[in-house]
C-alpha cells in the first residue's frame, strides 16, 4: 500500500491554512536575502544589551551592529562582547553612533527611548519619544530598506505605530514586541500553579502592552486540554474577580521586577531573541506581537492602531493573523484597548 506523502493526498483541503490566518492589508512579500544575517540593535541600555547578548549566545546572526548616542558607553559594550569571542559562535560585532553602520540589516531592533520623568504626563513622554524616533527610524529605513523593524521601546504599541508612519514600510515589516513577554509571564504563572512545563501551556495576553491588556481565558490549554471547560466540567468555577486578579498579577509582575532591581532585562532579552529567531529563520511560529490591527475583531477600519494579536511570523515579518476565537467579553475588552491606544495616537499629530 502506497503511503500518502501529505495530508492533501489523504483528502485534507489545501485551503485549510487560509481559514486559520488572515493577511494584513497592504502586506508585501519578503525581500530575497543572502544567507549572511545582520541584526542592528539601537539603544545600548540594559534592555538593548540583554537582547544583543541573548541573540549572540543563540547563534542567530552573523553580524550585530550596535548604535547608541553615547559613544563611550557604546564602545565599552562592544568591547565587552568582543572579548568573549573565544566562548561564543563567530559573530562580527561592530558599533557606531553613525547609522551607516546599520546598512544592509535584515532586522533592526529599537530599544532606545525616553524614560518617564516624575510628574510627566503620558502625552509629554510620547512627544519626547516621537522626537527621538524621528532621528532613529528614517536612517534605519534609508540604510536597510528591506529590513524588518522590531520596536521594543515603551509605550511599545504607540511607538510601533510611529515607526510605521516614519518608515513608510508596509505594515507586515513593522512589528512591536507587544505582549510576547506578557504571555510568557502568563504561561509561567499558570504552569507554576499547575506544576507543568510552561512550554506545554498555550495562553495569550493580547491588546495593549500595558494596563488594558486582555487575557484570553477561553483559549487556554495545557497539553491540548482546554483548561476552563475542563475545570467547569469538574464543578470548579473561576469567578470574574479571580480571573481579573490573575490578569493584574501578570501586568504587575513587570512592576515588581522594576521595584526590586530597577529595570527589567533578561526576560525581555529572551523574548526578543525568540522573535528574532522566528523571523530570520522563517520558523512560521505564532507569537502575540504588536501589529496593525484595524479590521480585526471589530476594530474599525479607520483606527490605525497597533496592538498585540497572535500572529504567524517569518522572513516576511507578519505572515498572517491567527483567526482565534474570542468570547464576546474578550472582543469587547480588545476593542476598548484599541480605543485607549487610538486616543493617545490622535494627540500626536502625525
Amino acid at each position: 500500500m502506497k503511503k500518502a506523502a501529505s495530508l492533501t493526498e489523504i483528502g485534507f483541503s489545501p485551503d485549510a491554512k487560509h481559514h486559520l490566518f488572515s493577511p494584513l492589508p497592504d502586506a508585501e512579500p519578503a525581500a530575497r536575502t543572502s544567507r549572511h544575517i545582520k541584526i542592528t540593535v539601537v539603544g545600548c541600555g540594559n534592555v538593548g544589551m540583554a537582547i544583543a547578548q541573548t541573540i549572540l549566545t543563540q547563534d542567530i546572526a552573523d553580524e550585530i551592529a550596535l548604535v547608541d548616542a553615547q559613544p563611550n558607553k557604546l564602545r565599552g559594550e562592544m568591547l565587552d562582547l568582543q572579548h568573549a569571542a573565544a566562548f561564543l559562535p563567530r559573530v562580527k560585532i561592530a558599533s557606531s553612533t553613525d547609522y551607516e553602520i546599520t546598512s544592509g540589516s535584515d532586522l533592526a531592533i529599537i530599544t532606545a527611548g525616553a524614560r518617564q520623568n516624575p510628574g510627566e504626563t503620558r502625552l509629554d513622554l510620547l512627544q519626547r519619544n516621537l522626537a527621538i524616533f524621528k532621528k532613529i527610524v528614517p536612517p534605519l529605513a534609508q540604510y536597510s530598506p528591506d529590513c524588518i523593524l522590531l520596536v521594543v521601546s515603551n509605550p511599545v504599541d504607540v511607538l510601533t505605530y510611529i515607526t510605521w508612519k516614519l518608515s513608510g514600510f508596509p505594515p507586515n515589516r513593522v512589528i512591536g514586541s507587544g505582549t510576547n513577554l506578557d504571555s510568557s509571564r502568563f504561561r509561567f504563572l499558570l504552569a507554576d500553579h499547575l506544576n507543568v512545563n510552561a512550554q506545554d501551556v498555550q495562553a495569550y495576553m493580547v491588546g495593549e502592552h500595558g494596563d488594558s491588556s486582555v487575557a484570553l481565558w477561553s483559549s487556554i490549554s495545557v497539553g491540548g486540554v482546554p483548561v476552563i471547560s475542563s475545570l467547569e466540567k469538574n464543578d470548579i468555577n473561576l469567578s470574574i474577580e479571580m480571573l481579573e486578579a490573575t490578569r493584574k498579577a501578570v501586568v504587575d509582575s513587570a512592576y515588581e521586577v522594576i521595584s526590586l532591581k530597577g529595570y527589567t532585562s533578561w526576560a525581555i532579552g529572551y523574548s526578543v531573541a525568540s522573535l528574532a529567531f522566528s523571523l530570520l529563520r522563517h520558523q512560521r511560529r505564532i507569537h502575540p506581537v504588536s501589529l496593525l490591527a484595524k479590521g480585526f475583531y471589530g476594530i474599525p477600519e479607520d483606527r490605525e492602531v497597533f496592538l498585540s494579536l497572535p500572529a504567524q511570523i517569518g522572513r516576511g515579518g507578519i505572515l498572517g493573523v491567527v483567526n482565534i476565537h474570542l468570547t464576546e467579553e474578550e472582543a469587547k475588552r480588545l476593542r476598548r484597548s484599541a480605543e485607549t491606544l487610538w486616543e493617545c495616537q490622535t494627540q500626536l499629530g502625525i
Side-chain angles (χ1 to χ4, degrees), residues 41 43-52 111 152-153 263-265 268-269 272:
V41 178
C44 292
N46 296 314
V47 170
M49 293 316 299
I51 291 170
T111 73
V152 182
S153 313
Y263 56 89
T264 63
S265 57
I268 188 62
V272 174

Side-chain angles (χ1 to χ4, degrees), residues 38 40 42 98-106 108 110 133-149 163-169 173:
K38 180 176 180 178
T40 285
V42 179
D98 188 333
Y99 281 84
E100 188 174 1
I101 198 171
T102 69
S103 181
S105 294
D106 298 286
I110 305 173
F133 271 52
K134 283 181 177 178
K135 298 177 182 178
I136 293 173
V137 178
L140 286 176
Q142 175 190 345
Y143 287 113
S144 302
D146 296 322
C147 78
I148 296 168
L149 294 170
T163 299
W164 175 54
K165 285 295 186 181
L166 293 176
S167 68
F169 280 13
R173 288 201 284 119

